[in-house]
Amino acid sequence: MSTEKKIMIKDLKAPGLDLTDVKIEFGDVEEYWDEPMGPTPMPSITDLREWDFKLLKKYPPLYIPNCDMCCFCAYGKCDLTKDKRGACGIGQKSQLARKVIMESIWGAAAHGAHSDHLLHEMIRIHGADFPIDMGPDVLIEAPIYRVLIGKKPKTLGDLVQGVEYAKNEIFHLTSSLHAGMEGSYLDRESKAMHAGLMDNLLMEIGDITQIATYNFPKGVIDVPLVQLGPG
């Protein structure tokens, strides 16, 4: 687990030493735990591409377009019927795969914005050292975070790294929507799968934050639903 440490020395006197109001900060301290690091901590867009392609080869995407035009930029509208290509070189499959990335990013950004706001607000209220306690019946408190980040979060402050990592990945994923520059439409599908990873990570961070800080039920079976709204 990665943590930041701060030490404040108000007054320290010793032979040959006289310190007053000294602040010492340790940037990033690694605390080792009993699980080996995986091969791709905080994977980039391309780190899992080979595995994505294996899945996409076994389970090829099925496209049923509801529109044969591309209207994404000022060069259009571009007709993509009958193997035609747009002004940027994009084809029908790549255009449809681009929409899949876009929709995946929308979901990840929506969940991520909520989790980001919730986490930082709870840190403001409770402090970054507020412990993550998922209850005695939960053996692995953050399975997605552990797999993707490669660390075991113990406090709210530890979760910030996961949010910042996902933000950066979503930033780069969004840039791929610009034009038809991918060599294969499967490149776009791989990016959509990466966006799905970020979405799941951010949702988990939000869930952990609210369970820990609002003292929601922890590992309880058949939790009663809360009635919201009219009806």
Side-chain angles (χ1 to χ4, degrees):
M1 184 187 69
S2 174
T3 58
E4 290 186 355
K5 304 292 185 182
K6 297 180 181 179
I7 300 174
M8 186 68 184
I9 301 174
K10 295 296 292 181
D11 190 23
L12 177 62
K13 289 181 170 42
L17 184 65
D18 188 354
L19 300 177
T20 303
D21 293 332
V22 176
K23 184 178 181 182
I24 302 174
E25 295 188 16
F26 300 88
D28 203 25
V29 180
E30 292 291 334
E31 298 179 11
Y32 293 97
W33 47 301
D34 56 356
E35 292 185 22
M37 177 66 74
T40 53
M42 292 191 287
S44 68
I45 292 173
T46 57
D47 283 339
L48 301 178
R49 184 174 179 272
E50 183 179 353
W51 171 247
D52 292 343
F53 270 53
K54 289 180 180 179
L55 291 176
L56 291 166
K57 183 178 180 180
K58 186 174 180 64
Y59 306 103
L62 173 63
Y63 298 118
I64 304 175
N66 59 1
C67 176
D68 293 321
M69 308 290 289
C70 176
C71 312
F72 274 29
C73 77
Y75 288 111
K77 301 179 179 179
C78 292
D79 180 7
L80 302 180
T81 59
K82 298 181 180 179
D83 296 326
K84 294 178 184 176
R85 291 190 172 271
C88 67
I90 199 168
Q92 179 73 276
K93 284 186 176 180
S94 190
Q95 167 65 359
L96 293 171
R98 178 161 63 164
K99 289 182 179 179
V100 175
I101 302 176
M102 183 173 65
E103 291 165 357
S104 300
I105 292 172
W106 285 347
H111 292 134
H114 170 71
S115 296
D116 180 50
H117 173 73
L118 176 64
L119 176 60
H120 284 88
E121 182 66 9
M122 292 301 100
I123 288 176
R124 184 187 69 81
I125 294 172
H126 300 288
D129 294 329
F130 189 88
I132 293 172
D133 178 12
M134 304 301 285
D137 297 321
V138 177
L139 299 179
I140 301 177
E141 75 297 320
I144 300 173
Y145 190 99
R146 286 196 189 192
V147 169
L148 286 181
I149 306 302
K151 296 177 181 178
K152 181 180 179 180
K154 292 185 178 180
T155 66
L156 292 182
D158 293 336
L159 297 174
V160 173
Q161 185 178 14
V163 172
E164 294 304 313
Y165 158 68
K167 282 182 183 178
N168 185 65
E169 294 304 297
I170 291 173
F171 181 83
H172 288 288
L173 286 167
T174 304
S175 71
S176 72
L177 297 173
H178 177 62
M181 294 176 286
E182 266 72 6
S184 166
Y185 68 96
L186 293 179
D187 282 319
R188 296 190 184 278
E189 292 289 349
S190 175
K191 290 180 173 67
M193 295 171 77
H194 194 68
L197 284 178
M198 298 306 106
D199 194 5
N200 279 278
L201 172 63
L202 291 164
M203 285 193 290
E204 182 182 74
I205 289 173
D207 282 343
I208 291 172
T209 301
Q210 62 188 8
I211 289 171
T213 56
Y214 286 100
N215 198 28
F216 284 177
K218 301 171 181 178
V220 179
I221 300 175
D222 296 329
V223 176
L225 297 177
V226 176
Q227 296 297 325
L228 295 175

